[in-house]
Amino acid sequence: MPPKFGTSGLRGLVTELTPDLVADYTRAFLASCAHGGAVHVGWDLRPSSPAIAEEVMGSIEQSGLSAIDCGALPTPALALAAMGAGHAAIMVTGSHIPADRNGLKFYTPAGEITKDDEARILSALGAAPGPGGGTRISGSQAGAAYQRRYTEAFGHAALSGLRVGVYEHSSVARDLLGVALRAMGADVIALARSDIFIPVDTEAVDAGTRTKLAEWCAQNRLDALVSTDGDADRPMLCDASGKVVPGDVLGALTARALGADVICTPVSSNTMIDAMPEFARIARTRIGSPYVIAAMEEILAANPAARICGYEANGGFLLGFAARGPAGVMAPLMTRDCLLPIVAVLAAVRGAQRPVADLVAALPARFTASDRIAGIEPEVSARFIADLRDDPSARAGFFTENGAEASLDLTDGLRVRFEDGAIVHLRPSGNAPEFRCYTEAATEAEAARLLQFYLAKLRTRLG
């Protein structure tokens, strides 16, 4: 599969992300999008990232601009530094996908690129190299500034008394996360640092990893265990038993803790928020942070005072208003963030003197499950979805577990709600050869059962 470009950035096999291709996309971005005269550059910990970042910075300098070398750091830390300075940013990362793949994420001074930016970048490909004359500047304080954003808002005692494990693996946030939690008073236990890149997907944690999480929690008597994906724009939080709190549940808890009253979230997110009276408005979008951001911006344009936030089912959280923490105010940051939901929920746990599991159990009883099948090419996925979309009898023949279809939602992929209240949502990945399945039901066991049932059917049908 050749490198693919969209509003989530450029993704592809490392062997196909050649220096010429990386330079071409960098030049096209600089030629077609606002940049403020400088570009902040960061990267994750996969082996190919430093060399690709060097190509990016060389292309920036060749274009006569300042390349601000921020080193290895979380994507939200890079975005915070660049947006705060009125500059563009490029993050070298393949996010949660395996190390044989990598990519580029692009930010204008206003934030993540939009669909219009995407079209302009594609139109600008093939631009000639610039005359040179740019400079290289150190941006080594960007990670520390990101950490201070939360320690200053929550204070140095916000997490005191909590014993928190950090599953470090190869997350680019592994050091920063431990430092930040300690600075807020937590007793932090570092776990399972890896010198080999591990593609952790916080939305689809495999059974082996879930077993390890439970073991680490028991062995270390943890109140919670936290982690992120590779570039740290997606959080993972587990309760004291090691059970992963789904990202869309984590998002709801975070929104409530911050006092938000408007939520923008993809159609795949847990519908429990529809029954939570503290949220006056819920806007459903296609899957992907650009769609969530666009919905947030539309609402803010009509009502600048809206206490609005966004989140995805993977847990990435976007803050659209100045939220007050126990010790200070956090400015909006409308890009996927890992640290805010971790800190906000752990602070709520300490404040309520109730464990993570109790906060989750008090929410409306709707449960989701999701996973993916790797190696499914996009054209195969597209044909399958089109067949189900266009033929009600084909849907009835495939969805055999829940009786009659109550509604069909084609916002993103194919999402069917059945008369028994269960939901099954099928969707090809937008940036990898994967096919995702989401389920929702009134009990956790039923959501899990439906997921396994339909994954097995999908493996048979899609090969």
Side-chain angles (χ1 to χ4, degrees):
M1 181 179 178
K4 184 173 182 179
F5 178 70
T7 40
S8 293
L10 178 70
R11 292 267 183 93
L13 289 168
V14 170
T15 54
E16 295 177 335
L17 293 173
T18 63
D20 287 345
L21 184 74
V22 170
D24 194 12
Y25 271 93
T26 301
R27 289 194 299 266
F29 170 62
L30 299 177
S32 59
C33 296
H35 50 65
V39 185
H40 296 238
V41 180
W43 56 90
D44 67 14
L45 297 183
R46 63 188 70 217
S48 60
S49 291
I52 295 174
E54 188 61 36
E55 293 291 342
V56 168
M57 288 188 283
S59 297
I60 294 166
E61 293 174 272
Q62 193 173 43
S63 298
L65 303 176
S66 294
I68 301 176
D69 180 352
C70 295
L73 81 170
T75 294
L78 180 72
L80 178 69
M83 293 164 69
H87 296 154
I90 299 176
M91 180 72 181
V92 180
T93 181
S95 188
H96 63 282
I97 60 180
D100 66 339
R101 300 172 184 272
N102 212 328
L104 306 176
K105 289 183 179 178
F106 298 97
Y107 289 79
T108 71
E112 297 182 27
I113 58 170
T114 66
K115 298 300 286 186
D116 289 341
D117 293 328
E118 174 189 338
R120 284 191 289 268
I121 293 168
L122 289 171
S123 296
L125 288 173
T135 58
R136 183 85 56 103
I137 301 170
S138 172
S140 60
Q141 297 304 307
Y146 174 64
Q147 175 201 321
R148 287 197 303 274
R149 168 181 170 85
Y150 296 107
T151 53
E152 291 176 357
F154 284 88
H156 296 289
L159 308 182
S160 63
L162 294 181
R163 189 171 172 84
V164 182
V166 175
Y167 172 31
E168 294 187 335
H169 62 92
S170 52
S171 166
V172 74
R174 59 191 183 184
D175 293 323
L176 185 151
L177 186 54
V179 169
L181 297 178
R182 288 187 184 97
M184 286 177 267
D187 179 14
V188 175
I189 295 86
L191 299 162
R193 176 175 288 236
S194 175
D195 293 328
I196 299 171
F197 188 82
I198 298 174
V200 171
D201 184 347
T202 61
E203 194 177 359
V205 181
D206 63 84
T209 300
R210 289 177 186 271
T211 298
K212 290 178 182 177
L213 297 173
E215 291 173 350
W216 291 333
C217 285
Q219 292 165 1
N220 295 282
R221 305 184 309 282
L222 301 178
D223 295 303
L225 190 153
V226 302
S227 190
T228 77
D229 67 336
D231 71 318
D233 65 351
R234 304 179 181 192
M236 182 171 73
L237 186 145
C238 306
D239 66 19
S241 72
K243 183 177 180 180
V244 176
V245 178
D248 45 4
V249 176
L250 189 61
L253 289 171
T254 304
R256 185 173 67 182
L258 296 174
D261 60 5
V262 180
I263 290 177
C264 296
T265 193
V267 65
S268 59
S269 293
N270 193 310
T271 63
M272 67 167 58
I273 52 178
D274 297 331
M276 296 177 70
E278 50 265 63
F279 304 130
R281 179 176 179 184
I282 296 164
R284 296 281 182 168
T285 73
R286 292 185 62 185
I287 296 171
S289 55
Y291 300 108
V292 176
I293 291 170
M296 293 173 70
E297 290 176 339
E298 181 179 352
I299 291 170
L300 285 169
N303 179 16
R307 298 195 307 277
I308 189 170
C309 68
Y311 61 81
E312 296 185 272
N314 57 42
F317 195 88
L318 304 99
L319 182 64
F321 70 107
R324 179 167 293 280
V329 175
M330 291 169 289
L333 180 60
M334 293 217 300
T335 191
R336 286 190 304 207
D337 189 7
C338 69
L339 196 49
L340 178 54
I342 287 172
V343 173
V345 172
L346 289 180
V349 164
R350 181 182 179 273
Q353 294 295 300
R354 299 172 64 192
V356 173
D358 281 7
L359 294 189
V360 173
L363 294 169
R366 293 294 293 175
F367 298 88
T368 59
S370 65
D371 205 343
R372 68 190 191 279
I373 303 173
I376 307 300
E377 294 303 322
E379 57 271 19
V380 174
S381 300
R383 285 196 300 269
F384 175 67
I385 291 293
D387 288 345
L388 294 186
R389 179 195 65 211
D390 298 336
D391 186 351
S393 64
R395 289 199 302 276
F398 183 79
F399 296 112
T400 58
E401 283 296 282
N402 299 92
E405 178 182 305
S407 64
L408 176 66
D409 190 328
L410 301 175
T411 301
D412 198 336
L414 186 141
R415 184 177 176 88
V416 180
R417 180 186 289 271
F418 300 93
E419 288 186 346
D420 66 356
I423 296 171
V424 180
H425 184 173
L426 307 179
R427 174 184 176 266
S429 172
N431 50 34
E434 299 173 347
F435 195 95
R436 289 187 178 268
C437 178
Y438 310 81
T439 60
E440 181 175 324
T443 69
E444 187 173 15
E446 178 63 4
R449 187 190 70 79
L450 285 173
L451 178 65
Q452 294 309 313
F453 178 83
Y454 284 109
L455 282 175
K457 293 194 76 168
L458 288 167
R459 289 189 182 99
T460 299
R461 288 287 295 270
L462 301 177

